[in-house]
Amino acid sequence: MHPCYFINPSSSSNTSKEKYTALFSKHSSRWQLYDENEQDTNTELKILRIYRTCGLSWAKSALEEVMSLTMHSPSLMAVQALECIQLFWFGIGQPHPGNLCLALAYRSCKILGYDRRPADENDSYTSIEAELGRRCFWACWISTCIVMQPEPYIESAWKEAAMLPLPCLVSGSFNQMMDKDWNSLPVRNSSGNLYPPTTPGLLIKIIGIWAKVQLHCKAYANRAHDGLNSLRQLSQLATSLFDEAAEMRTSANQVDQTTENQMMLFLHDSVYHQSQITLHSMIVPLFSGIPADEKIDPETRRRAAQTVIYHADQFKCLLDPYLYNQQDVSRISPLVGYGAFVVGIIFLSTELCCHTQPVSELPFNTSTKDSRLVTVQAILRLLDTIKAYWEALKYPAEVLRSALEATHSALSKPPRLIDSGNRKMPTTSFV
């Protein structure tokens, strides 16, 4: 699932050539995943594979056309095309044009007023056209939060989006918005009714958390942080937003079986668990590679390790249908692919810890440890597949492969303990 799914190409009969070109070129690197011997699967890839060789030339053509249009005659379709085409450039490992497209798309949204806050229900910015503009802004905002560039945009991400209505049903009314501290606020319409959040709205909320998690980790690594307060606040906020999605998650499983909705919820849940893993692993030297902070007591680190393992197991459960060929892996977001890599490293570190520590000293539950190496092997197969169309995942895949080989080698030898005060910790440095 990609942010450009927030854009509805069928909303206008005048969709421009450069937008279609961008949409086609965005998918070009997926076509190499299609196996011509497969029957009744990957139908989309089967139809589009004849265009595989055209992707790069189309992307260059689209870039030239849309840049000119954006400079001289900016429009919703031009911004949509920029948002689509940036995915192609990031996909083939050329972040420079990708960053330029994304930065221009985001700024264009601001200039065109797609982030304008409606005054009331009678405001013209409650129209369908205005909703499409807001969705375009939200798509660019999500991409910016994921790419984490430019950093000043990320630092002010919550403020930039505060009090802007989240995506609503085009035929419906506003439902929710976020305040500057990223708390959900209801939006009442003229009749006083409250509408439930939409799946795109839920996804925006959790992506906002992910952006701040990345900033927190950078500050922690540089020791420019306020202790555990920021970690706990972000973790609690993430949990509250995750819990908000419970009703929508149940409804999607029972009623709404559309691929788009299912993939949005899959990404939402994946990013939540990934955020918790990232936050809590920072204070566990085994997982982060950062020396222990003397201000953090061992019991707090032990609980953090438990939390990391719990969310890694939950992330793995989400991935299961893709790890064992039950779902089309080409639909997985690169952000989820990176999360799978992190989970793989966590599992390998855990296996080595189990091997070198007496069971009574383990700080986390090891009841599922026997299956972790099998899971890592499956994750590596998944990364080997999706790295074909997301160049940025090639390096994590190779790191995980080397770590898996090193773990197999270490597990074949007698346990080796190193003295670390009153504890004995394994010598792992994968993270």
Side-chain angles (χ1 to χ4, degrees), residues 234-383:
L234 273 174
S235 179
Q236 291 170 2
L237 183 56
T239 299
S240 68
L241 294 179
F242 180 76
D243 291 342
E244 281 185 23
E247 184 177 346
M248 182 68 71
R249 196 177 295 110
T250 301
S251 174
N253 290 333
Q254 297 176 352
V255 181
D256 190 347
Q257 297 292 327
T258 60
T259 299
E260 179 180 338
N261 196 58
Q262 294 282 353
M263 291 308 297
M264 281 193 188
L265 285 172
F266 170 74
L267 179 57
H268 171 277
D269 292 357
S270 300
V271 172
Y272 165 70
H273 293 300
Q274 191 170 336
S275 296
Q276 296 287 18
I277 290 169
T278 304
L279 275 175
H280 292 276
S281 66
M282 294 301 293
I283 63 173
V284 182
L286 173 66
F287 298 141
S288 68
I290 299 175
D293 188 335
E294 295 180 356
K295 297 178 181 178
I296 301 176
D297 62 271
E299 177 61 20
T300 298
R301 288 199 296 270
R302 188 189 70 82
R303 289 197 301 268
Q306 288 179 322
T307 301
V308 171
I309 294 298
Y310 169 78
H311 286 285
D313 285 335
Q314 293 300 304
F315 191 103
K316 178 262 179 186
C317 290
L318 287 174
L319 275 183
D320 272 347
Y322 299 92
L323 294 178
Y324 303 107
N325 300 320
Q326 297 172 357
Q327 297 289 341
D328 178 8
V329 299
S330 70
R331 295 186 180 278
I332 289 182
S333 160
L335 182 56
V336 176
Y338 179 75
F341 157 73
V342 171
V343 167
I345 293 295
I346 293 294
F347 283 170
L348 292 180
S349 299
T350 303
E351 282 294 291
L352 284 176
C353 191
C354 292
H355 184 62
T356 57
Q357 280 189 301
V359 174
S360 61
E361 294 187 5
L362 287 175
F364 34 70
N365 181 10
T366 62
S367 60
T368 60
K369 77 181 187 67
D370 292 338
S371 65
R372 286 185 179 128
L373 285 182
V374 175
T375 297
V376 175
Q377 291 169 341
I379 288 174
L380 186 56
R381 288 195 299 271
L382 181 143
L383 291 177

Side-chain angles (χ1 to χ4, degrees), residues 376-395:
V376 175
Q377 291 169 341
I379 288 174
L380 186 56
R381 288 195 299 271
L382 181 143
L383 291 177
D384 281 339
T385 300
I386 59 178
K387 73 181 184 182
Y389 61 100
W390 290 109
E391 186 79 17
L393 291 176
K394 285 187 176 180
Y395 178 71

